[in-house]
Amino acid sequence: MKERITNAISDFFFEYETPRQVLVRNRRVGVVCRLIQLGVLAYIIGWVFIYEKGYQSTDTAVSSVFTKMKGVGYTNVNGAERVWDVADYVFPPQGDASFVVMTNYIMTEGQQMGKCPELPGKHNCSTDSDCEGGSYKRTGHGEMTGVCVNTTRTCEVLAWCPVENDHVIPDPPLLMSAENYTLFIKNSVTFPLFGVSRSNLVEGVDAEYIRECLHNSEKDPLCPIFRLGDIVKESGFNFELIAKVGGAIGIVIEWTCNFDVDVKHCKPQYHFHGLYGNPAETDKARASVGYNFRYAKHYMEDKVQKRTLLKVFGIRFDIIVQSLARKFDIIPTLTAIGSGVGIFGVATVVCDLVLLYLLPKREFYKNMKFKYTESHMQTDYTQTLCGWGGHVWPF
């Protein structure tokens, strides 16, 4: 037993096994094998290394976006002139990556808390019994008092009076001047894996350049100042249509960087996508079109609290940063090479299948590739040795 264990250990450390190789001279099989190997080689070089860049490690950026609007609008509604600046038409005003620019509105001035009739078509009634006191309607403006107002044939409500009438949307939009507003975007990105930080104010984009430039995809692709009309146009929308009822546009800042070359070549690209809100491309049967919200400005008049209610129609801008940086790394390189070498084994498997199961001389190739040992031959050989007293005679 001890000798057997010793022999096994000795064989494990001091013997080497190698697979048996059979050289087959067959043109068809040889061509198939080389074509498969060539295809695998093309896949490794073309797809893995050139297209997918399998020799590089990747990282995505931590990003921050700051925005600033500039421009002045003018309206004249029923003889009331007004100038609108950034503090009036941008929501929220902090310069976030997502904000709304007002392009149209419905204003209800001088509202105060009291009792007044609902709008026709909201809560129609014929008697007081049709207006349940203390109840609310989902589309109403306040709490019903239980009184049916004969002049309007609608229920009386406790609400901010007079109630808002938003049945008619101004057309053309009141703030068409928003088309000429400008948007400044400042974006900073950091790739923590590579320790690289970049800004969209790249080399050459200095204070003097910013004062004069206006973004153009062909002439000034790196300028961070955008005209709203150009953004809407490049997103595929019509400004007057989207300005009437509002909508949403996505601004994508794309960073695709290769840090195997100089960092200064890492520059942003801007893309614009219309998300929703173009009435010309919307089925009229849809329940909700465009983008709007309400906000109120409260004030005191003769010790009475009042407010001005605005239903704002605007364009919502969502700035989205997409990033991918690459740099050479030995680990993914060796992994890609190793997987490619493993795929070369496909050629051997396919050729073996052709040799052993498809060619006319498959039995011949099978005998050449495999060595068979029958169990009864081993038994007969053992018995012969025993008949000679366990001695093997030399020949």
Side-chain angles (χ1 to χ4, degrees):
M1 185 67 180
K2 180 179 179 182
E3 183 179 358
R4 186 176 300 176
I5 295 175
T6 304
N7 292 336
I9 296 176
S10 176
D11 292 344
F12 177 78
F13 282 103
F14 302 112
E15 289 185 355
Y16 169 72
E17 296 178 0
T18 183
R20 184 182 182 186
Q21 300 289 335
V22 179
L23 179 62
V24 179
R25 296 187 180 277
N26 185 296
R27 292 184 179 180
R28 284 179 292 180
V29 177
V31 170
V32 170
C33 180
R34 298 300 174 240
L35 287 177
I36 295 175
Q37 290 177 342
L38 184 62
V40 171
L41 187 63
Y43 163 77
I44 295 173
I45 297 175
W47 178 265
V48 176
F49 281 98
I50 297 179
Y51 186 79
E52 289 290 335
K53 304 212 172 24
Y55 58 91
Q56 295 176 316
S57 58
T58 61
D59 189 22
T60 55
V62 179
S63 174
S64 174
V65 175
F66 163 80
T67 59
K68 182 184 292 186
M69 290 290 305
K70 282 190 176 181
V72 176
Y74 168 82
T75 58
N76 187 341
V77 180
N78 299 325
E81 295 182 301
R82 180 167 181 173
V83 172
W84 301 77
D85 60 17
V86 176
D88 297 317
Y89 61 73
V90 176
F91 308 90
Q94 290 89 354
D96 293 342
S98 180
F99 59 94
V100 178
V101 176
M102 180 169 65
T103 55
N104 205 4
Y105 63 89
I106 297 174
M107 182 182 294
T108 307
E109 297 181 289
Q111 284 188 322
Q112 65 183 63
M113 190 59 63
K115 297 178 181 179
C116 52
E118 270 284 12
L119 293 176
K122 287 284 185 179
H123 299 149
N124 295 335
C125 63
S126 56
T127 63
D128 291 347
S129 61
D130 296 329
C131 305
E132 184 180 352
S135 63
Y136 301 86
K137 294 291 185 179
R138 184 177 63 86
T139 58
H141 291 90
E143 181 186 69
M144 288 190 290
T145 61
V147 176
C148 179
V149 181
N150 294 327
T151 56
T152 60
R153 310 304 293 177
T154 59
C155 294
E156 183 184 68
V157 292
L158 175 64
W160 287 97
C161 300
V163 296
E164 177 192 58
N165 185 352
D166 60 350
H167 291 164
V168 179
I169 301 175
D171 189 15
L174 297 175
L175 286 172
M176 276 297 294
S177 57
E179 188 174 12
N180 294 315
Y181 296 167
T182 57
L183 168 65
F184 170 67
I185 299 177
K186 185 176 181 180
N187 174 220
S188 299
V189 294
T190 298
F191 297 95
L193 180 63
F194 306 129
V196 177
S197 297
R198 295 288 288 169
S199 168
N200 65 330
L201 305 181
V202 296
E203 295 79 7
V205 181
D206 52 21
E208 182 178 354
Y209 174 78
I210 290 177
R211 280 196 297 268
E212 299 177 357
C213 78
L214 192 63
H215 182 86
N216 184 287
S217 299
E218 296 180 357
K219 297 179 181 179
D220 284 312
L222 295 177
C223 180
I225 298 178
F226 307 81
R227 178 176 170 270
L228 258 59
D230 296 335
I231 294 176
V232 173
K233 182 179 180 181
E234 291 197 38
S235 70
F237 282 172
N238 178 279
F239 190 88
E240 184 173 354
L241 293 177
I242 196 175
K244 178 183 176 183
V245 294
I249 292 176
I251 302 175
V252 178
I253 306 176
E254 182 180 359
W255 293 86
T256 302
C257 303
N258 182 6
F259 292 141
D260 288 334
V261 297
D262 199 314
V263 176
K264 68 179 183 180
H265 296 293
C266 179
K267 298 178 181 180
Q269 291 182 329
Y270 302 93
H271 307 282
F272 310 97
H273 304 277
L275 303 180
Y276 63 86
N278 194 345
E281 300 176 354
T282 304
D283 185 355
K284 293 181 180 180
R286 287 183 57 180
S288 178
V289 177
Y291 178 84
N292 64 79
F293 63 94
R294 291 175 175 84
Y295 86 101
K297 294 182 178 180
H298 293 261
Y299 60 94
M300 298 294 292
E301 184 178 281
D302 297 329
K303 297 183 180 181
V304 177
Q305 184 180 17
K306 294 186 177 182
R307 74 176 189 180
T308 297
L309 178 67
L310 280 92
K311 182 175 182 179
V312 175
F313 301 89
I315 305 175
R316 177 189 174 106
F317 293 93
D318 293 308
I319 302 176
I320 304 165
V321 179
Q322 297 179 345
S323 60
L324 181 65
R326 298 178 180 272
K327 191 174 183 180
F328 175 78
D329 193 337
I330 190 62
I331 294 178
T333 302
L334 294 178
T335 302
I337 293 175
S339 62
V341 172
I343 297 175
F344 269 103
V346 174
T348 302
V349 174
V350 173
C351 291
D352 282 350
L353 291 175
V354 173
L355 281 173
L356 302 178
Y357 299 101
L358 299 180
L359 293 182
K361 295 182 180 181
R362 53 184 175 272
E363 292 299 330
F364 171 75
Y365 292 125
K366 190 178 296 185
N367 291 332
M368 294 296 296
K369 181 173 178 62
F370 301 106
K371 184 177 181 180
Y372 296 93
T373 302
E374 300 293 343
S375 58
H376 67 84
M377 294 178 61
Q378 179 66 29
T379 303
D380 294 343
Y381 177 69
T382 304
Q383 292 175 352
T384 302
L385 291 178
C386 293
W388 285 93
H391 297 284
V392 180
W393 295 87
F395 292 96

